[in-house]
Amino acid sequence: MTNVVAIVVTYNRKELLQECLDALLLQTVPLSKVIVFNNCSTDGTEKLFAPGAKYYNTVCDLVNSDSNLGGAGGFSEGVRIASQYNFDWVWIMDDDTIPEPTALEELIKSAYFLKKNNETIGFLASYVYGPAGEPMNVPKIDTTITDNGYSFWYEYLDHGIVRISEATFVSILVPMQAIKHVGYPIAEYFIWGDDCEYTRRLVKYYGKAFFCGNSKVLHKRFNAKKITVLNEESKNRINIYQFYYRNMLLNTRKYGSRIQVLVRWLYYFALSIYCLIYPKGKYHVAKFCSIQKGIWMYLFRPLNLRKI
């Protein structure tokens, strides 16, 4: 029997967390354990796991943090904790991810099929859709060129499987052996970009990645649009976008070329200027400052990725 642990990172979204956990407990392939990493929530999340409460005495274990480590810190700690157990697979997701009942079963089926075809799996990613059925968290296709000059991302398309190079932490299944080989997500990223870096690391240093079209999950994100500060309507959230722009520059430096870093840097600088004159937006100055902070953090407060 396949031994799978799910990791869910949560912060002040008790209602969504319950939807996520209820969906996990209804999976057609039962989970061995669910590790809920609570990022110091203040909404009473921990009460859901108290004696006599809804998730008490289930496979769900709550790990409380003394401070908010951000999504990156939460996933890093969650993966580290999971690696201490004897699980075969680690299923990673946010607290606003609602898997369909067969989501895990379809991921496992794809894994068995790929192993029969002698593939070394870095990770598997689910089909993600938004509240209105819109596309969300779309993974990047693997366009690696084969010997004859073409890419072959569609090799297993008739089985609903597509080769990819990068995905987000909205339902990815990772072999425990891969985690032990490449390590954990980068906690210092705090939020955004940690999933892109980690999935690229899995592909580069362990095995291929695959999108599994029959494994479906709903991502109930408040703003279903592509992540950019231009789309942000909450003034309180604008400042955290500095981490997004810093981390994207860090990822480009780690996995791209110097030219790609320069192009991205120039694009972000131009985007910050555009925020000041964007006719449909709000909080122009705050958005400008957030992008500039990200650029300056990258330039003058760099993370040493060689040690991470």
Side-chain angles (χ1 to χ4, degrees):
M1 183 177 177
T2 302
N3 222 354
V4 183
V5 56
I7 296 174
V8 182
V9 175
T10 189
Y11 176 67
N12 282 343
R13 294 199 289 201
K14 184 171 61 175
E15 288 74 21
L16 280 172
L17 175 63
Q18 291 181 75
E19 286 190 62
C20 174
L21 295 180
D22 290 346
L24 291 177
L25 295 175
L26 290 174
Q27 290 297 300
T28 52
V29 172
L31 286 154
S32 300
K33 185 183 286 292
V34 178
I35 297 174
V36 179
F37 190 87
N38 179 22
N39 250 328
C40 201
S41 296
T42 57
D43 63 350
T45 291
E46 69 281 356
K47 295 179 181 178
L48 297 173
F49 302 85
K54 188 173 185 178
Y55 302 108
Y56 179 72
N57 202 27
T58 66
V59 296
C60 301
D61 286 350
L62 181 69
V63 177
N64 287 309
S65 175
D66 294 332
S67 60
N68 181 6
L69 304 179
F75 283 119
S76 183
E77 280 298 298
V79 172
R80 182 189 64 79
I81 293 168
S83 67
Q84 298 173 359
Y85 295 89
N86 190 30
F87 298 114
D88 300 315
W89 299 88
V90 179
W91 194 15
I92 302 174
M93 68 190 68
D94 280 317
D95 56 3
D96 56 357
T97 304
I98 318 298
E100 293 188 359
T102 60
L104 179 57
E105 179 182 350
E106 294 296 340
L107 288 171
I108 296 298
K109 284 181 180 178
S110 296
Y112 285 153
F113 168 78
L114 291 164
K115 286 187 175 182
K116 285 182 180 179
N117 283 273
N118 299 315
E119 297 285 7
T120 301
I121 300 170
F123 71 91
L124 304 171
S126 296
Y127 174 122
V128 184
Y129 60 93
E134 67 272 47
M136 288 191 69
N137 302 89
V138 179
K140 289 188 176 181
I141 297 292
D142 185 351
T143 56
T144 302
I145 301 300
T146 60
D147 292 339
N148 71 342
Y150 291 99
S151 60
F152 200 17
W153 54 265
Y154 55 91
E155 181 177 3
Y156 304 117
L157 188 59
D158 53 341
H159 294 275
I161 299 172
V162 172
R163 190 172 297 166
I164 58 176
S165 61
E166 181 182 311
T168 64
F169 284 162
V170 182
S171 184
I172 67 166
L173 188 68
V174 187
M176 183 61 78
Q177 289 181 340
I179 291 171
K180 291 182 177 179
H181 187 76
V182 308
Y184 315 133
I186 301 176
E188 289 83 355
Y189 271 35
F190 189 72
I191 189 172
W192 290 322
D194 54 308
D195 43 12
C196 298
E197 189 284 324
Y198 193 60
T199 52
R200 292 182 73 172
R201 195 191 326 163
L202 286 165
V203 170
K204 183 174 182 178
Y205 297 109
Y206 189 80
K208 297 175 184 176
F210 300 91
F211 168 81
C212 306
N214 292 324
S215 172
K216 298 184 178 182
V217 303
L218 165 63
H219 190 190
K220 294 187 74 172
R221 199 173 78 194
F222 171 71
N223 185 348
K225 298 178 182 179
K226 186 176 180 180
I227 293 177
T228 170
V229 75
L230 290 177
N231 294 332
E232 187 55 60
E233 298 175 354
S234 172
K235 187 176 181 180
N236 294 331
R237 284 175 50 86
I238 290 174
N239 192 51
I240 66 172
Y241 277 82
Q242 62 184 292
F243 297 106
Y244 174 82
Y245 294 105
R246 178 199 65 176
N247 296 344
M248 291 300 103
L249 285 166
L250 287 170
N251 287 347
T252 306
R253 187 181 81 191
K254 187 171 184 180
Y255 296 105
S257 64
R258 291 182 179 180
I259 293 297
Q260 289 173 319
V261 173
L262 178 61
V263 169
R264 186 175 289 272
W265 184 91
L266 290 172
Y267 170 71
Y268 287 163
F269 188 86
L271 182 65
S272 69
I273 302 299
Y274 180 70
C275 283
L276 294 175
I277 58 175
Y278 184 50
K280 298 180 181 179
K282 299 179 181 178
Y283 316 120
H284 301 274
V285 175
K287 292 178 178 181
F288 167 83
C289 291
S290 186
I291 299 175
Q292 286 290 325
K293 284 179 182 178
I295 293 172
W296 283 79
M297 285 171 64
Y298 168 75
L299 290 174
F300 299 106
R301 292 169 56 190
L303 298 178
N304 188 348
L305 297 183
R306 293 181 180 177
K307 294 183 178 180
I308 296 175

